[in-house]
Amino acid sequence: RKEVEQDPGPFNVPEGATVAFNCTYSNSASQSFFWYRQDCRKEPKLLMSVYSSGNEDGRFTAQLNRASQYISLLIRDSKLSDSATYLCVVGRRGGGNKLTFGTGTQLKVEL
Amino acid sequence: DAGVTQSPTHLIKTRGQQVTLRCSPKSGHDTVSWYQQALGQGPQFIFQYYEEEERQRGNFPDRFSGHQFPNYSSELNVNALLLGDSALYLCASSLVRGADTEAFFGQGTRLTVV
């Protein structure tokens, strides 16, 4: 079983749609959680950290359920520019230590 | 303020050869981690360097080795290259301690083994 599991997609959605990505992790010792965005042939970039209380950044909402070892990302009012691969990432301590990535979920937002 | 820089950006090598990839971390960062990303996969952790020592290692064979220099820059060496080593190699820099917990990635080195 992979340490971080995601549905690879692709998710094809119309502009303006709401889309949700889910992720599960197997290591209960994981202490930090993130969503990274990766555009085609580019490096991953931090989209947002994920906290147990849930956090929101504009159109993006992330949630963490430690009991279920489950992480989610909700994107509201999708834009064409949101098209990318979204990587679910967990770490054991802080953001700078070893990060374990899911395979990524590909999102395509269409007109 | 330069971010993470990697060189070269692209590289083609023959099976059995050796390769060295280079990374300069973001200014002020002291930790460098290396990742391998195969096509269609998420990045896989190779190892991490801090204070010029390998601190953590992922599930990669000894053919993969590295080094960190006093200026925090780092090299990744891969010996006896296999076709399966073809991938995007990413370097990430961060701080071991401090409030800045984000890992910043370089643009990567795309290695093709033929």
Side-chain angles (χ1 to χ4, degrees), chain A residues 11-80:
Chain A
F11 283 47
N12 298 326
V13 303
E15 205 174 14
T18 295
V19 61
F21 301 139
N22 303 317
C23 165
T24 57
Y25 61 95
S26 60
N27 188 343
S28 58
S30 299
Q31 293 179 286
S32 53
F33 309 89
F34 311 91
W35 284 100
Y36 273 73
R37 170 189 169 135
Q38 187 171 27
D39 292 290
C40 187
R41 304 183 74 82
K42 299 283 190 180
E43 74 274 20
K45 292 185 178 177
L46 180 65
L47 178 65
M48 58 198 305
S49 301
V50 189
Y51 306 110
S52 296
S53 54
N55 47 302
E56 187 173 310
D57 182 3
R59 298 181 293 109
F60 299 83
T61 301
Q63 296 212 309
L64 166 66
N65 184 320
R66 283 185 183 269
S68 303
Q69 296 183 195
Y70 171 92
I71 307 164
S72 66
L73 176 68
L74 186 75
I75 305 176
R76 291 180 300 278
D77 189 23
S78 301
K79 311 290 185 192
L80 294 176

Side-chain angles (χ1 to χ4, degrees), chain A residues 2 8 34 36 38 40-47 49 51 85 87 89 92-104, chain B residues 10 31 33 35 37 39-45 48 56-58 88 90 94-96 100-108 110:
Chain A
K2 290 185 179 178
F34 311 91
Y36 273 73
Q38 187 171 27
C40 187
R41 304 183 74 82
K42 299 283 190 180
E43 74 274 20
K45 292 185 178 177
L46 180 65
L47 178 65
S49 301
Y51 306 110
T85 295
L87 296 156
V89 185
R92 272 189 246 129
R93 182 181 58 196
N97 284 294
K98 176 190 172 185
L99 300 177
T100 302
F101 287 77
T103 54
Chain B
H10 295 83
T31 301
S33 302
Y35 293 82
Q37 186 174 24
L39 199 61
Q41 301 296 315
Q44 299 294 309
F45 177 78
Q48 182 181 80
Q56 298 190 68
R57 189 178 182 93
L88 178 68
L90 294 160
S94 57
L95 278 171
V96 169
D100 181 3
T101 59
E102 180 179 349
F104 290 81
F105 284 83
Q107 82 283 8
R110 193 163 297 278

Side-chain angles (χ1 to χ4, degrees), chain B residues 7 18 33-34 36 45 51 58 61 66-67 75 86 91 93 99 102:
Chain B
S7 63
Q18 178 264 345
S33 302
W34 286 93
Q36 180 196 65
F45 177 78
E51 290 186 333
H67 190 78
E75 287 182 349
S86 296
C91 167
S93 80
E102 180 179 349

